Amino acid sequence: MDNIATYNPLLVKVAFGNHIVTGYAEDSFVTIEPLDSGITSKAGCDGDIVRSVDPNNRYTVKVALLVSSPTNRYLSDQYAKDKRDGSGAFPVLIKDVTGAEKFTTSLAWVTKQASVTKGKEGQNKEWVLETGQAELAYE
């Protein structure tokens, strides 16, 4: 029996607080990268090895959006609130509904405004978030 899996980008759901993200850019629209150093090791002069596990479970989340996406306004507003009084952080849920992956954190924030690019055609905006402790699970 063939093992065939199907990926559908329409089944990737992203929520920032109570805001459902819409207006994704073409191609790669979500990137989740760990900020930790993972598991490192050192060897002593006699060949003994020690491994160190970084307990940091923080991530960088990049979201690429069409210039027309209403999520650009949401993220811009959250960033402005954070700059003004520190109240712009929000929880994040990213779920592949087909069951492959689920990313959750109770605290994330926009690191800086997305760049503004103008041209003949509408340009994408990339937003970079950092998180508090988070979990990336493969279900």
Side-chain angles (χ1 to χ4, degrees):
M1 179 176 212
D2 291 334
N3 288 329
I4 298 174
T6 301
Y7 167 76
N8 183 343
L10 293 175
L11 297 178
V12 176
K13 304 299 180 186
V14 180
F16 295 156
N18 61 3
H19 176 85
I20 304 301
V21 177
T22 59
Y24 299 116
E26 186 178 40
D27 203 22
S28 297
F29 56 89
V30 174
T31 304
I32 303 168
E33 298 177 29
L35 286 171
D36 70 346
S37 56
I39 301 173
T40 59
S41 65
K42 288 190 179 203
C45 292
D46 61 355
D48 284 354
I49 299 170
V50 64
R51 296 179 342 131
S52 300
V53 177
D54 187 341
N56 178 10
N57 284 325
R58 296 179 55 231
Y59 289 79
T60 297
V61 176
K62 296 177 184 174
V63 180
L65 303 169
L66 295 170
V67 70
S68 59
S69 170
T71 301
N72 291 312
R73 171 58 60 93
Y74 174 82
L75 292 172
S76 182
D77 289 349
Q78 294 303 111
Y79 177 75
K81 285 174 27 178
D82 230 9
K83 291 281 280 187
R84 184 177 57 249
D85 60 19
S87 67
F90 48 88
V92 172
L93 169 65
I94 302 171
K95 172 81 171 119
D96 182 341
V97 178
T98 62
E101 299 157 338
K102 180 180 179 183
F103 177 82
T104 57
T105 183
S106 60
L107 191 64
W109 56 92
V110 177
T111 60
K112 65 180 179 178
Q113 285 278 10
S115 297
V116 175
T117 305
K118 301 294 182 186
K120 182 179 176 182
E121 295 182 356
Q123 303 296 311
N124 295 335
K125 289 188 173 283
E126 182 178 78
W127 292 89
V128 179
L129 314 176
E130 282 189 9
T131 75
Q133 298 297 319
E135 182 178 358
L136 178 58
Y138 296 90
E139 301 174 334

